[in-house]
Amino acid sequence: MPSAQQKLSWVIVGQGAIGLLAACRLQQAAYPVALWLRQPNALTVTLETATTKTTCQFAPAQKPLRQLFIAVKAYAVAECLTQLSTELSPDAQLVISHNGMPDLAYLQSVAASAQGIWFLSTSHAALRTADSVLHTGQGQSILSPLNNAARQAESAIVAAMTEALGPVQLTADIRPALWRKLAVNAVINPLTALHNCRNGELVSAAFTAQIARLIAEVCQLAALEHIELELQQTKAHVYQVMQATAQNYSSMQQDRYYQRPLEIDAITGFIIRTASKHQLAVPENQALWEALQQVTSPQSPQP
Ligand code: PAF
């Protein structure tokens, strides 16, 4: 593995908001970046921040694939990794990122012994439109190597991910961070999808009691999983993300709006399944799950 200074080339898998945000930011930092595309055509994307607009051009990736940032929906990870398995170099490094709870044991099991596997959880917010990606909320990321081959490549991967979605905090145990993010996504994503609204609208008093109950259920469940998720701190964190991404449409609102499958199974579904393992009632999450099963794409235009 070359040193961080040599700027490894990266392949981005998944052209959603976070994948393209990472792609553009890596390219801006002079990393060679290509996209894993179904069609062998180049892709041009404009990255818009509050103050800048930059056009980025990406070529299709050449095999074998070495450094990969895989930002596909939670429900698409297994199929994606199966498809990629024959395209990877024997020493590939795979950084996986999605909302919801990943199956870390499964991720560890898919990499060959010399292939590094990582999970990255990010609080950056972005919105994908037809030909651009808007960086709508500055965030940070938690990055964890999930096997030895990853730990051996640490400095180069951390350097690249710092450019892509930094600042990056490296951790040996990503589970507490995943639970913190789960609490955020368990509130913002299903509620914005159900009510077809921006993240910031959830700050309204109309949602306060429901949000408090949702968070309390997640914190209670975390304790049963031996994860410390303090109630008031978690509540403050959820509201802080809501405010920091107030103008954003959440990924689940967008998925519902564009009639794509929702990532609800890895978020609310994970909470309900894990709670049932502990015989814990999570009625507020259960009700939200049921409400989302019943809705179709919103009839009204996006506000
Ligand atoms: O899924 C999303 O949209 C994001 O994780 C978040 C943080 C809720 C911001 O919109």
Side-chain angles (χ1 to χ4, degrees):
M1 174 69 50
S3 74
Q5 287 71 30
Q6 282 176 266
K7 303 239 163 153
L8 304 174
S9 60
W10 282 81
V11 174
I12 309 299
V13 182
Q15 279 106 60
I18 292 295
L20 288 181
L21 176 66
C24 291
R25 285 170 52 118
L26 276 172
Q27 190 173 82
Q28 286 177 339
Y31 279 84
V33 182
L35 301 183
W36 183 246
L37 297 164
R38 274 196 203 94
Q39 309 292 332
N41 304 328
L43 189 82
T44 303
V45 182
T46 304
L47 173 62
E48 288 185 40
T49 69
T51 51
T52 60
K53 236 179 181 192
T54 324
T55 300
C56 303
Q57 254 184 330
F58 301 104
Q62 304 291 318
K63 297 180 255 182
L65 311 177
R66 286 220 152 69
Q67 285 73 230
L68 295 91
F69 179 67
I70 303 173
V72 298
K73 299 285 181 187
Y75 54 76
V77 168
E79 196 190 326
C80 171
L81 290 176
T82 306
Q83 279 174 11
L84 289 172
S85 61
T86 52
E87 320 290 349
L88 300 174
S89 76
D91 61 349
Q93 295 285 328
L94 291 82
V95 181
I96 296 158
S97 183
H98 58 73
N99 279 333
M101 198 53 84
D103 182 344
L104 297 177
Y106 160 74
L107 294 180
Q108 282 159 336
S109 75
V110 292
S113 62
Q115 291 174 341
I117 192 121
W118 301 75
F119 196 85
L120 179 143
S121 173
T122 189
S123 63
H124 280 279
L127 204 59
R128 163 101 214 245
T129 63
D131 49 11
S132 58
V133 56
L134 319 179
H135 191 185
T136 48
Q138 281 294 336
Q140 50 194 316
S141 302
I142 315 262
L143 178 64
S144 187
L146 301 181
N147 65 2
N148 271 337
R151 282 183 278 275
Q152 279 157 20
E154 203 166 274
S155 61
I157 303 299
V158 172
M161 288 300 109
T162 299
E163 298 293 355
L165 294 166
V168 159
Q169 188 191 327
L170 190 66
T171 178
D173 180 9
I174 197 165
R175 287 172 314 139
L178 291 175
W179 277 87
R180 254 163 70 87
K181 179 88 199 290
L182 183 71
V184 169
N185 289 133
V187 171
I188 297 180
N189 295 34
L191 285 177
T192 52
L194 195 58
H195 298 284
N196 189 28
C197 66
R198 293 179 197 262
N199 295 356
E201 291 174 55
L202 300 180
V203 174
S204 138
F207 293 105
T208 309
Q210 186 182 14
I211 289 175
R213 288 192 296 269
L214 284 168
I215 297 173
E217 289 178 4
V218 177
C219 290
Q220 241 186 315
L221 184 59
L224 294 172
E225 289 280 302
H226 309 291
I227 302 286
E228 203 185 319
L229 207 59
E230 202 277 320
L231 183 63
Q232 293 313 325
Q233 272 177 19
T234 306
K235 222 188 251 183
H237 177 58
V238 171
Y239 275 91
Q240 181 250 314
V241 175
M242 250 179 237
Q243 268 146 356
T245 62
Q247 292 309 310
N248 203 25
Y249 289 109
S250 80
S251 54
M252 201 177 284
Q253 187 279 348
Q254 289 286 284
D255 287 340
R256 185 182 169 210
Y257 186 76
Y258 290 107
Q259 304 188 34
R260 299 184 293 239
L262 305 186
E263 232 171 353
I264 191 79
D265 195 53
I267 301 172
T268 313
F270 169 82
I271 292 167
I272 295 169
R273 284 192 302 279
T274 311
S276 125
K277 211 174 74 187
H278 293 287
Q279 295 172 330
L280 174 74
V282 284
E284 205 61 61
N285 279 281
Q286 184 74 45
L288 205 43
W289 164 275
E290 280 160 22
L292 272 167
Q293 301 308 308
Q294 277 161 28
V295 293
T296 50
S297 182
Q299 299 302 305
S300 52
Q302 187 154 272

